[in-house]
Amino acid sequence: MTANLPPQYDPQATEAKWQKYWEDNQTFKADPEKGGEPYCVVIPPPNVTGSLHMGHAFEETLIDVLVRYHRMTGRNTLWLPGTDHASIAVQTILEKQLKAEGKTRHDLGREKFLERAWEWKAESGNTITNQLRSLGVSVDWSRERFTMDEGLSAAVLEAFVRLYDEGLIYRGNYLVNWCPASQSAVSDLEVDQQEVEGHLWHFRYPLTDGSGYLEVATTRPETMLGDTGVAVNPQDDRYQHLIGKTVTLPIANREIPIIADEFVDPTFGTGCVKVTPAHDPNDFEMGKRHNLPFINIMNKDGTLNENAGEFQGQDRFVARKNVVKRLETDGVLVKIEDYKHTVPYSERGKVPVEPLISTQWFVKIDPLSQRALEALDQSNSPVFVPERWTKVYRDWLVKLKDWCISRQLWWGHQIPAWYAVSETQGEITDTTPFVVAKTEAEAREKATAKFGNDVELARDPDVLDTWFSSGLWPFSTLGWPDETKDLEFYYPTTTLVTGFDIIFFWVARMTMMAGHFTEKMPFDTVYIHGLVLDENGQKMSKSKNNGIDPLLLIGKYGTDALRYTLVKEVVGAGQNIRMEYDRKTDESKSVEASRNFTNKLWNAARFVMMNLEGQTPQQLGIPYPPQPPLTKGGREEDSLVEGGREEDSLVEGGREEGLELCDRWILSRYNQVVQQSRNCLENYGLGEAAKGLYEFIWGDFCDWYIELVKSRLQQDAEPNSKKMAQQTFAFVLEGILKLLHPFMPHITEEIWHTLTQTGDGECLALQAYPEADISLIDADLEQQFELLFGTIRTIRNLRADADIKPSVKVTAILQSESEKERQIISDGGVYIQDLAKVENLTVTASLDAEPPLNPPLGKGGQGGSIAGVVGTVQVLIPLAGVVDLAALRAKLEKKLSKVEAEIKHSAARLTNQKFVDKATPDVVQGARDALAEAQKQAEILRDRLKLF
């Protein structure tokens, strides 16, 4: 029974079928025991709260192309999936739910709150991973990890305790970025600097001795309540005589000193700056240098505390207005200026952060960053693609400050520190002694040894920054700190694929942690991709509401179509891509084009299989012997004959025996594209590889080769020629499916199974990626076919210009002074006759040698023929007896008359000022487009009329 494909390709049914098949059969399960060369990628773990967006679809598709390719090249491949617990995001969701119930997390208590969090994770936390499945990602689902699963939690404990024991984690009072919305510290890298239109308030601080005043300016006037000094530059002659004196702080009536510090820019404002050490990072450093008091005026919810006096309890922005009013009333407000400046916002809470003195846990960055810098400078490890990101990564490693790793949340890895609260009246204070341990039992043993049997312990309520656990991801997911087989074989991982905006958050964290704990960089290469921009070239964001739902496009066009579009749009590693999208119809022309490509491939495969007479590629065999014994002199360059090369170009029985001209051409093109695809994928040219395959499959294979061999597949065709066509057909189609598989895994898997009639247990995903047979690549032959195809296209265009019916065969005269061109045309004459519907073909060096045309040829093709040119070949088609020239001319004149009337009408509308003023811009533009199109049509018709 002949195996064949259904008439129509159904992407939804096909894709779901193979996604289930791969997972049920654990097709992508990795096995370190098999040995070989490892290729390992860990997924950049999406937040457990997330749902699939276009950035996910882009990134995971890029990774999957690389992973599938390297798996097919024979490497022992592991792509390890998983999700991040997303402390702040999950807690925000849960607290919103509780608020709707009229409760807070404190009403539940920590234990009940965490029970609820785990329940939420079980019910809703798999949304993103299930959506990832719809992309057809070839991950090993049996190794799926979660940053709070048992194994990773053990790794986090191990890392924390080791770093603490080595003196690299400490607890200290420090100025942190505080997010009042989430009421938690956030790292420098979780702060988004936003430019805002604000104000600069100027006011006077009177000198305590009554001799005058100093004028200062600030963008945050409420913080003046916490000022403990005024600073000037020591080299500023205007103020040198005042250094050491004091001013009286307005409202608070507190005496504060005038200090000299090099940090002050004498050219900014008046050259005097207020110093608020507890609420500004620069002032914090100045305060430490000059031993100034640190006065905190802010509660953790963003309201002012008891140190703010009459403004206590007011929200910080309400207090700002009221402080300004009071300064104005007291007569010390000088002026208010409009002022554009940057304000740090919490990426999580979406509110301005507040620099706040807080007792937090920190990691000493310098020893960790130095090790990562050594690896980069001495070994160029890891390698960044594109290379320009190396400098960005290095600069960030140099600039990093100590990392605040504690967060005032309940969902996350609770800090493994226990306080001896019996030493501080039952409360955790800044001075309460503590012990660090992996378990409470171990902590009690340590604390008892220090404080006696009656010690009372309380665990630190804070959790660790999620980037702490994510920083361990490349090796903790493989079993670290245990010496597992996975860790031994797959680590360091091979490639990290991620966006440039995550270098500072994640890439640097991983290299620092890995360098310290494993003494190796966690990956060989970091492939930095760009962003998916919307249809207007804008970055997609929730605030702009300009996202494009990949699931919607998958439902409309299929997963493979979306995947192929995303990859094909990439021009050069690291470049942004723009997604075509119509928001009115939820349609995308670019994804539709890729869907059309899947249909083209499907229909071509159907045609091939219908003509294989039930035979598989394996049964048919390859269309040439595997080892070509070439003659000493090599191949002939110029002469081509139907059915093979000249006899002396290959030794008897050579590998091209029996191959016809077009077979050798398609095999050359095929091997060229194999070589190109491998080179591109090895060097991260994914977009270039996708485009090359598109051009080969659609153009060379479907549009040309299928047409070239159709006549050889007829029932009455010469048997040997037919078999060779079938062999070549089957061989190239199977190769195409393998080449395209990493990009379009579902449709290629479906076609391959039907083509090869392979049973269960085997799949295309595990087949070998094609290797180029260089001996079959013939650039000269390919160039010759370009001339043949150009000739065919020219004849087809001339037929269209002359309105010759498709069923009518014509006479064609091809003239060239080049002997080589004449030989090429003669050798390929059967293809010209077949594809261009030519009955009589004449190839000549000179038109003068040909019999006179009847009627005679006129200038520019007038008279009895229509003429065209391809390269240096002139193409002539006599029209006598083929078309009625008078009727054709009348038809063209009638068309031209109609188009000219349309031009006149459109031009009149556009010169009517009332129409232009009253019509909508879309209507006016439509009229302009119609005029331009009509003018173009008129020009074509006039050119055609010149021929007759």
Side-chain angles (χ1 to χ4, degrees), residues 440-663:
E440 184 173 0
E442 184 184 334
R444 182 160 298 281
E445 185 179 341
K446 287 183 177 181
T448 299
K450 273 189 176 184
F451 308 108
N453 293 330
D454 295 332
V455 65
E456 182 184 344
L457 295 180
R459 188 170 182 176
D460 194 307
D462 290 352
V463 300
L464 287 166
D465 176 14
T466 52
W467 295 110
F468 190 92
S469 52
S470 296
L472 309 174
W473 185 254
F475 48 99
S476 64
T477 52
L478 295 172
W480 184 90
D482 295 333
E483 291 294 331
T484 64
K485 290 180 179 178
D486 276 2
L487 187 67
E488 179 185 1
F489 184 76
Y490 292 112
Y491 185 81
T493 64
T494 315
T495 306
L496 175 72
V497 179
T498 189
F500 62 83
D501 51 347
I502 213 79
I503 293 176
F504 329 118
F505 289 100
W506 192 40
V507 178
R509 302 280 194 237
M510 288 188 286
T511 57
M512 290 189 294
M513 291 290 214
H516 184 77
F517 290 116
T518 73
E519 299 184 348
K520 299 174 183 176
M521 287 299 96
F523 22 73
D524 299 330
T525 304
V526 181
Y527 171 49
I528 300 292
H529 62 73
L531 302 175
V532 183
L533 306 178
D534 72 4
E535 67 277 16
N536 299 312
Q538 300 294 312
K539 181 179 178 180
M540 296 185 201
S541 68
K542 289 182 180 178
S543 60
K544 292 180 182 177
N545 193 31
N546 65 335
I548 300 173
D549 185 358
L551 296 173
L552 187 151
L553 294 178
I554 286 173
K556 190 179 289 280
Y557 302 110
T559 296
D560 283 347
L562 177 63
R563 285 173 57 118
Y564 200 70
T565 302
L566 291 171
V567 180
K568 192 163 73 76
E569 292 295 318
V570 179
V571 181
Q575 298 302 305
N576 294 339
I577 67 170
R578 187 174 70 86
M579 175 65 70
E580 287 188 81
Y581 189 63
D582 186 333
R583 294 187 183 275
K584 293 179 181 178
T585 61
D586 289 326
E587 294 175 340
S588 170
K589 288 184 178 179
S590 54
V591 185
E592 182 180 2
S594 295
R595 192 271 315 277
N596 294 342
F597 181 46
T598 64
N599 290 338
K600 183 84 169 181
L601 175 65
W602 184 266
N603 291 332
R606 285 191 79 241
F607 177 82
V608 171
M609 283 183 260
M610 287 169 62
N611 286 280
L612 295 184
E613 299 174 330
Q615 300 172 94
T616 67
Q618 291 71 26
Q619 292 167 339
L620 285 164
I622 60 173
Y624 54 86
Q627 295 181 343
L630 297 179
T631 62
K632 183 178 180 181
R635 301 185 176 194
E636 291 290 334
E637 292 187 356
D638 296 331
S639 179
L640 295 169
V641 293
E642 182 66 19
R645 304 243 179 188
E646 294 290 349
E647 291 182 1
D648 61 347
S649 67
L650 292 172
V651 297
E652 188 175 354
R655 70 187 322 199
E656 294 187 352
E657 183 180 1
L659 284 173
E660 298 189 12
L661 195 62
C662 66
D663 301 331

Side-chain angles (χ1 to χ4, degrees), residues 103-152:
K103 299 176 184 177
T104 69
R105 58 173 161 144
H106 299 286
D107 294 330
L108 266 68
R110 187 176 195 122
E111 186 177 342
K112 292 293 184 183
F113 179 83
L114 291 178
E115 285 179 8
R116 184 158 178 162
W118 281 106
E119 287 172 4
W120 176 90
K121 198 271 180 186
E123 293 171 4
S124 306
N126 294 327
T127 298
I128 185 69
T129 52
N130 288 333
Q131 290 172 340
L132 285 174
R133 283 172 163 86
S134 69
L135 281 175
V137 291
S138 60
V139 302
D140 182 350
W141 288 111
S142 71
R143 282 175 166 83
E144 183 179 356
R145 304 305 300 268
F146 176 55
T147 47
M148 281 179 60
D149 67 29
E150 186 177 346
L152 267 65

Side-chain angles (χ1 to χ4, degrees), residues 801 892 895-897 899-900 903 931-947:
D801 287 343
L892 293 174
K895 280 186 179 180
L896 178 59
S897 177
V899 171
E900 286 175 337
I903 292 172
L931 176 60
E933 179 62 26
Q935 289 171 333
K936 184 179 178 182
Q937 288 296 321
E939 184 179 351
I940 292 171
L941 289 167
R942 291 189 190 103
D943 287 343
R944 291 177 68 180
L945 277 167
K946 290 176 185 177
L947 299 174

Side-chain angles (χ1 to χ4, degrees), residues 115-364:
E115 285 179 8
R116 184 158 178 162
W118 281 106
E119 287 172 4
W120 176 90
K121 198 271 180 186
E123 293 171 4
S124 306
N126 294 327
T127 298
I128 185 69
T129 52
N130 288 333
Q131 290 172 340
L132 285 174
R133 283 172 163 86
S134 69
L135 281 175
V137 291
S138 60
V139 302
D140 182 350
W141 288 111
S142 71
R143 282 175 166 83
E144 183 179 356
R145 304 305 300 268
F146 176 55
T147 47
M148 281 179 60
D149 67 29
E150 186 177 346
L152 267 65
S153 295
V156 168
L157 278 175
E158 179 73 21
F160 186 97
V161 172
R162 276 201 209 177
L163 289 171
Y164 177 79
D165 289 345
E166 294 165 3
L168 296 177
I169 282 182
Y170 64 93
R171 185 173 183 254
N173 227 345
Y174 205 77
L175 195 73
V176 299
N177 300 304
W178 186 263
C179 172
S182 61
Q183 294 198 35
S184 175
V186 294
S187 74
D188 290 342
L189 303 180
E190 293 171 299
V191 171
D192 179 25
Q193 299 291 340
Q194 297 184 18
E195 190 172 69
V196 300
E197 299 284 351
H199 297 93
L200 190 64
W201 286 270
H202 294 251
F203 40 90
R204 297 169 179 161
Y205 286 1
L207 292 163
T208 307
D209 62 11
S211 61
Y213 60 84
L214 291 181
E215 183 179 319
V216 299
T218 181
T219 58
R220 299 159 65 217
E222 71 281 5
T223 62
M224 59 85 60
L225 300 169
D227 285 358
T228 57
V230 174
V232 298
N233 190 288
Q235 306 304 318
D236 194 335
D237 293 337
R238 294 172 294 176
Y239 304 115
Q240 281 186 351
H241 66 290
L242 296 177
I243 296 170
K245 291 189 175 185
T246 62
V247 295
T248 301
L249 183 65
I251 302 178
N253 293 318
R254 189 169 64 247
E255 191 173 343
I256 59 177
I258 300 170
I259 62 173
D261 196 286
E262 294 284 354
F263 171 78
V264 179
D265 179 2
T267 65
F268 177 76
T270 62
C272 301
V273 297
K274 58 191 284 299
V275 184
T276 319
H279 292 284
D280 182 273
N282 296 317
D283 294 2
F284 179 80
E285 297 299 332
M286 271 199 286
K288 289 197 296 183
R289 286 196 292 271
H290 297 277
N291 295 313
L292 297 178
F294 286 66
I295 300 176
N296 175 28
I297 63 164
M298 194 80 60
N299 292 315
K300 291 183 175 181
D301 62 358
T303 61
L304 272 57
N305 64 20
E306 66 279 4
N307 292 327
E310 65 188 81
F311 305 100
Q312 181 179 356
Q314 295 181 10
D315 178 80
R316 52 183 169 156
F317 299 117
V318 174
R320 177 174 296 178
K321 295 178 182 178
N322 292 333
V323 166
V324 171
K325 285 181 184 177
R326 173 66 187 275
L327 292 171
E328 185 176 19
T329 300
D330 291 351
V332 295
L333 180 66
V334 179
K335 61 181 177 179
I336 304 174
E337 295 179 313
D338 292 335
Y339 187 63
K340 182 182 288 186
H341 62 120
T342 57
V343 173
Y345 274 72
S346 165
E347 287 198 334
R348 290 295 185 188
K350 309 302 181 187
V351 298
V353 298
E354 196 65 45
L356 197 67
I357 292 289
S358 179
T359 302
Q360 302 285 345
W361 290 88
F362 294 87
V363 172
K364 289 183 180 178

